[in-house]
Amino acid sequence: MKKIMIKMAAALSVLALLSGCSSKQETAPADQAGETKESGSEESGAAKAGDGEETFTVGFDQDFPPMGFVGDNGEYTGFDLDLAKEVANRLGKKFVAQPIGWDAKDMELESGNIDCIWNGFTMNGREDGYTWTKPYMKNSQVFVVAKDSGIQTLGDLSGKIVEVQADSSAEKALKEDETLLNTFKTLQTTPDYNTAFMDLEMGAVDAVAMDVIVAAYQIEQRKADFVILEESLSAEEYGVGFKKGNEKLRDQVQEQLEAMAADGTLKKISEQWFGKDVTTVAK
């Protein structure tokens, strides 16, 4: 009897083993189907990724308030980003805010990582490097100093340490004005203007050269004892810069900017950020 039970147990073990093999073989097609499905998903993703027309990716400096920056809620915000988002909505495209290193902006644009540069982007001196919209805002480069610094004119900057953002319009303007530049003790660069203002607050630098729109906003937000010198370094205009030759997308954006000027949207967004309409797009 014992031998019979042992043989029955062995037989059951063999059947279980065969059953297990059968189950594994039966599930193989399902696994292959899963691979096919996954492959299909990849194709779908590639098709979606290839629909570049459906997205509008804007390159911006995330440390450049009020044009583009990280808000208190951790989200990207800013005057230029609000304009770009509205344009994207009107074009039926998905808006993508893409922070970039400002000194790497040309590489980002040339590689196709972004569709345009829209972030207080000065046109003057860059006319031939990009395909531009018409200017939508006036600006100037100015110097910010501590109120009690005793610096009141450009002449007072002689022997002083001046700081600018790397590859900025202010840096370009200063390097073109060698007479003024040679009076400084040092002209040093920083990655962003938040750092520049901290340097100014600590007394590490005597002045910061930058866009007047951004300077006024920073002073107001920080409630700092800073002033803007009356003498400006240069007058300029802001535009939206596209890769050279991309007239199609430029024209689409320009058309929407003009429509936004006509229906009052530009004025409304401007007043939300600056308390007045600072835009210059013809209605």
Side-chain angles (χ1 to χ4, degrees):
M1 184 70 176
K2 186 175 182 181
K3 289 181 180 180
I4 293 173
M5 292 180 66
I6 291 173
K7 288 181 179 180
M8 290 178 63
L12 288 172
S13 297
V14 170
L15 287 172
L17 181 60
L18 290 173
S19 176
C21 291
S22 176
S23 298
K24 186 175 181 180
Q25 290 172 350
E26 288 173 0
T27 59
D31 291 340
Q32 291 172 1
E35 290 172 2
T36 302
K37 185 177 181 180
E38 185 178 350
S39 175
S41 298
E42 290 174 357
E43 289 176 4
S44 175
K48 186 176 181 181
D51 293 337
E53 303 82 7
E54 301 305 317
T55 61
F56 183 50
T57 304
V58 173
F60 73 104
D61 177 356
Q62 68 176 24
D63 294 307
F64 201 58
M67 315 312 280
F69 61 104
V70 181
D72 293 337
N73 61 357
E75 300 291 329
Y76 297 129
T77 187
F79 172 65
D80 278 343
L81 293 187
D82 279 355
L83 294 185
K85 185 184 298 183
E86 178 65 21
V87 166
N89 288 340
R90 292 181 180 222
L91 291 175
K93 299 177 184 288
K94 179 182 178 181
F95 174 69
V96 179
Q98 180 60 56
I100 58 174
W102 195 244
D103 56 355
K105 59 185 178 296
D106 292 342
M107 180 185 68
E108 296 280 359
L109 191 60
E110 288 297 321
S111 67
N113 288 340
I114 58 176
D115 292 315
C116 67
I117 302 169
W118 196 336
N119 190 215
F121 196 24
T122 300
M123 303 173 65
N124 308 71
R126 297 187 174 113
E127 291 87 348
D128 297 331
Y130 308 85
T131 290
W132 292 96
T133 61
K134 294 177 183 178
Y136 65 91
M137 190 173 176
K138 289 184 177 179
N139 183 52
S140 61
Q141 295 299 324
V142 297
F143 292 93
V144 179
V145 300
K147 186 179 292 186
D148 60 359
S149 67
I151 301 173
Q152 298 180 331
T153 67
L154 299 188
D156 294 333
L157 292 171
S158 178
K160 305 299 184 182
I161 301 173
V162 179
E163 191 163 70
V164 294
Q165 183 181 36
D167 200 36
S168 64
S169 297
E171 181 184 26
K172 184 176 185 295
L174 281 172
K175 288 184 175 179
E176 290 176 349
D177 190 346
E178 293 186 3
T179 302
L180 177 61
L181 178 62
N182 291 335
T183 68
F184 300 161
K185 178 180 180 180
T186 307
L187 175 66
Q188 62 187 48
T189 62
T190 183
D192 58 78
Y193 280 116
N194 283 333
T195 302
F197 268 91
M198 287 189 287
D199 289 343
L200 188 60
E201 288 172 343
M202 295 185 297
V205 301
D206 299 298
V208 175
M210 63 188 304
D211 302 56
V212 67
I213 293 293
V214 179
Y217 184 85
Q218 285 272 20
I219 292 172
E220 172 63 26
Q221 293 298 307
R222 292 172 180 270
K223 306 300 180 185
D225 287 330
F226 298 150
V227 294
I228 300 172
L229 298 188
E230 290 185 10
E231 293 178 84
S232 63
L233 178 59
S234 64
E236 57 192 35
E237 293 176 305
Y238 286 158
V240 184
F242 299 81
K243 184 177 179 179
K244 192 73 173 175
N246 191 0
E247 284 89 359
K248 180 180 179 180
L249 185 56
R250 184 275 311 277
D251 291 347
Q252 291 176 347
V253 171
Q254 181 64 43
E255 181 181 3
Q256 295 309 318
L257 284 174
E258 292 174 6
M260 289 162 62
D263 65 24
T265 303
L266 280 185
K267 180 176 183 290
K268 179 181 178 181
I269 295 175
S270 180
E271 288 176 342
Q272 290 173 348
W273 283 99
F274 304 108
K276 60 181 179 180
D277 188 4
V278 299
T279 61
T280 59
V281 180
K283 296 182 177 65

